[in-house]
Structure formats: structure tokens, C-alpha cells
Amino acid sequence: DAKTTQPPSMDCAEGRAANLPCNHSTISGNEYVYWYRQIHSQGPQYIIHGLKNNETNEMASLIITEDRKSSTLILPHATLRDTAVYYCIVREPGAGSYQLTFGKGTKLSVIP
Amino acid sequence: DAMVIQNPRYQVTQFGKPVTLSCSQTLNHNVMYWYQQKSSQAPKLLFHYYDKDFNNEADTPDNFQSRRPNTSFCFLDIRSPGLGDAAMYLCATSRERVATEAFFGQGTRLTVV
């Protein structure tokens, strides 16, 4: 079973920041939060991951609450090409945790 | 440049007729995965290879087999496709089992008629 809860869908105006929430209230101390996205008819694409500190890369920012029970993926200036299903995944990077267990994700629609 | 390549992008097969999907990678990664994704569902892991070591998920049907003749190539064989096997099949790679990032191919959409 997926360890995360995400809203099924969200809309965002083009050019505005998209803030995608994820609840992972049962996260354990060694588990990281990963985000992937899947554009229609394509394979999933890695976006970002973090443990407890906020992270930023060229694609997005990841904000993790202090208690680590939830996080937010931020796309600072959403474009139409960011329309996709976004998956939040909790994973412990140890032996045996070789798979990504995808939950249902959030379908983000960027509106012109 | 594509790093994980799946061929073909679209495959139509007859009910019960064996079919093979292929995946190749230019990343020289040790781990290769096969996922099944049915319409409006999340990807589901079928099995993975760590080098030549094959690891099957407990709930993967026997109808699904895999081969990895070398580091670069991995095949998914469906011995007797049923209508319920129609799905997108995704191949992915990662450098190690515990690597943070997995690279996915574009997928092969399988139709069973």
C-alpha cells in the first residue's frame, strides 16, 4: 500500500506557482520523500527528493514540514508542459527498497 | 538523447499469441525494471534485474517472464496475453538498487485483440 495521500486533481493558472501537497503521516526516520511526474503517454520522470531539509533544483522546490508528516512540491512558474500526474513517494534508500511504489498521484492541469 | 528506449511504442497482439517487448539502455545501469500501468492507474512493478539476478514480485502472474541477455537489453515476454493484459508497459533503470533516481522509457502500449 502507498504510504502517501495526495489530492486527486488540481488546477493552476499558467505562469503561477503550482503547490502540490502530499501527506505522509506514517513516514519513518530513514525514509525519503521522492517526487515523480508522468506526462500523458510518457514514462514517469524524476523531479526531486528530500529527507528533512528543503530542496531545490532546476525543476522544482520541495518543502518538508518540520515533523516530516507532509510536504509540498512547488513548481514556481507553471507552464502548459507541466500538465501531468505528480506522484509523491516515500522510500527508504536501503537494501530491499528497490522499487518505487506509486500511489494514485495528483493530476495537475495548467490552465492558459 | 533517449537513455532508456522501448520498442515498439505501440504493439497489437492477438489473444493467446506470445508477444515480446524490448527495452535497451545507454546508461550502463545495473538495475532494470518492468512496470505495468493500466488505464488511469499507477505503475505497478512486475519484476526487476540487478545485473543478472532476477527478482519477481510475489503477485506477478506466471504469464509474464523476462530475459536480460546483457547489461543493455531487457525483454518482457507475455506467454499467452489475455484481454486483461492490455496496458502500458514501462521499462526503467537505476544505477543501483538504492539509487535515488530511476530513469523510465517512453513505454510500450499493448493492445490485445
Side-chain angles (χ1 to χ4, degrees), chain A residues 34 36 38 40-46 49 87 91-104, chain B residues 9-10 33 35 37 41-43 45 48 55 57 88 90 97-107 109:
Chain A
Y34 293 76
Y36 281 73
Q38 187 172 24
H40 182 63
S41 295
Q42 296 185 19
Q45 176 190 23
Y46 167 82
H49 75 283
Y87 295 100
R91 183 183 185 210
E92 181 174 351
S97 58
Y98 46 83
Q99 67 163 289
L100 297 173
T101 300
F102 290 86
K104 296 183 178 180
Chain B
R9 287 293 309 276
Y10 302 91
Y33 309 81
Y35 283 82
Q37 186 175 26
Q41 296 184 19
L45 183 66
H48 80 281
N55 298 268
E57 291 300 295
M88 173 80 86
L90 295 161
R97 274 172 164 159
V98 299
T100 58
E101 182 177 0
F103 294 83
F104 283 81
Q106 296 277 60
R109 183 166 296 282

Side-chain angles (χ1 to χ4, degrees), chain A residues 2-3 5 9 11 16-17 36 42 45 52-53 55 60 68-69 73 79 82 91 93 103 106 110:
Chain A
K3 300 179 181 178
T5 304
S9 64
D11 291 341
R16 303 297 294 271
Y36 281 73
Q42 296 185 19
Q45 176 190 23
K52 54 183 178 182
N53 296 322
E55 302 288 345
R68 304 210 319 123
K69 292 184 177 182
L73 179 75
T79 71
D82 293 321
R91 183 183 185 210
T106 295
V110 180

